[in-house]
Amino acid sequence: MISAKFYTLENVDRAGKARIGAGIVALIICGYLIATSALSMREIWSANKALQKEKSAAISTKREADNKHKRDASEPLAGMGGVESFALTFSQWAKLDGASVESIVPEGPPAASQITLGNVKLGNWNASKVRVQGSGEFTSLTCLLDRLKNPGMPVQLESFSIETSDSRTGKVSFNLVLTVYEKANAS
């Protein structure tokens, strides 16, 4: 039991003030929790918006990549290798370098041969002679010939001839004979 001296007017007044103080502290704590919750919700919403943007960008990028893969798969020359692939790539290079290719003609059937580099056997390859005729500025031709050093394009320059077609513009006509190598199918 509680002693009767606790029921004095001063103690009741103190208890009332203590309740008011506790209520104020509770309101401050609740206000703080509400404010931090609101700020956290705002951050979550902005993060969600950013995530949605990134998700839509990823879907768009995936769609573009799928379309590119479908286009690449539908181009029969891109994956054929050999003379066809060389002709396509060489024509693209010529266009980029400002030269024009008038004809790319294989000369005879491919010849199978065993290729070795030093002591390393690279396997069986088909070698096809190809004659390329075209025109362009001399610097365009040198850039085009420089591209033949690309290790992804196994080509060897056998012979070339250059004739001046327009001395005022510096245009030349070229006639190249190349050997295009294609890895033989292991059958």
Side-chain angles (χ1 to χ4, degrees):
M1 297 237 147
I2 298 176
S3 167
K5 63 181 175 180
F6 285 118
Y7 291 112
T8 63
L9 187 57
E10 289 174 1
N11 286 340
V12 171
D13 191 35
R14 280 188 206 142
K17 288 179 181 177
R19 274 192 235 129
I20 292 173
I24 291 173
V25 170
L27 284 175
I28 291 172
I29 290 173
C30 287
Y32 172 76
L33 292 175
I34 289 171
T36 56
S37 296
L39 290 175
S40 297
M41 290 299 288
R42 194 175 110 204
E43 288 177 9
I44 289 170
W45 284 332
S46 64
N48 193 19
K49 281 184 182 179
L51 184 61
Q52 290 298 329
K53 278 184 182 178
E54 291 298 321
K55 184 179 178 183
S56 65
I59 289 171
S60 168
T61 303
K62 184 181 181 333
R63 189 176 303 128
E64 289 174 12
D66 289 343
N67 289 338
K68 184 182 181 316
H69 288 301
K70 286 178 186 175
R71 274 194 318 268
D72 289 347
S74 68
E75 293 179 7
L77 294 179
M80 290 180 69
V83 175
E84 293 86 4
S85 178
F86 166 75
L88 177 67
T89 304
F90 194 80
S91 297
Q92 290 171 344
W93 285 346
K95 188 175 183 179
L96 289 172
D97 290 335
S100 65
V101 174
E102 292 150 14
S103 67
I104 299 178
V105 180
E107 295 187 339
S113 60
Q114 176 76 18
I115 304 292
T116 58
L117 183 62
N119 294 332
V120 179
K121 291 185 179 183
L122 300 177
N124 291 324
W125 291 72
N126 293 326
S128 302
K129 297 277 187 205
V130 177
R131 181 172 301 276
V132 179
Q133 295 177 329
S135 63
E137 293 183 8
F138 182 75
T139 55
S140 299
L141 176 61
T142 56
C143 289
L144 192 56
L145 292 175
D146 198 40
R147 287 182 183 257
L148 293 176
K149 296 177 184 176
N150 182 350
M153 184 60 64
V155 177
Q156 180 178 351
L157 178 63
E158 299 294 335
S159 68
F160 68 93
S161 66
I162 302 172
E163 294 179 17
T164 303
S165 60
D166 188 355
S167 60
R168 290 174 295 159
T169 61
K171 283 193 122 188
V172 295
S173 296
F174 58 87
N175 188 346
L176 310 173
V177 177
L178 305 164
T179 302
V180 178
Y181 294 96
E182 176 185 16
K183 183 82 168 149
N185 294 333
S187 307

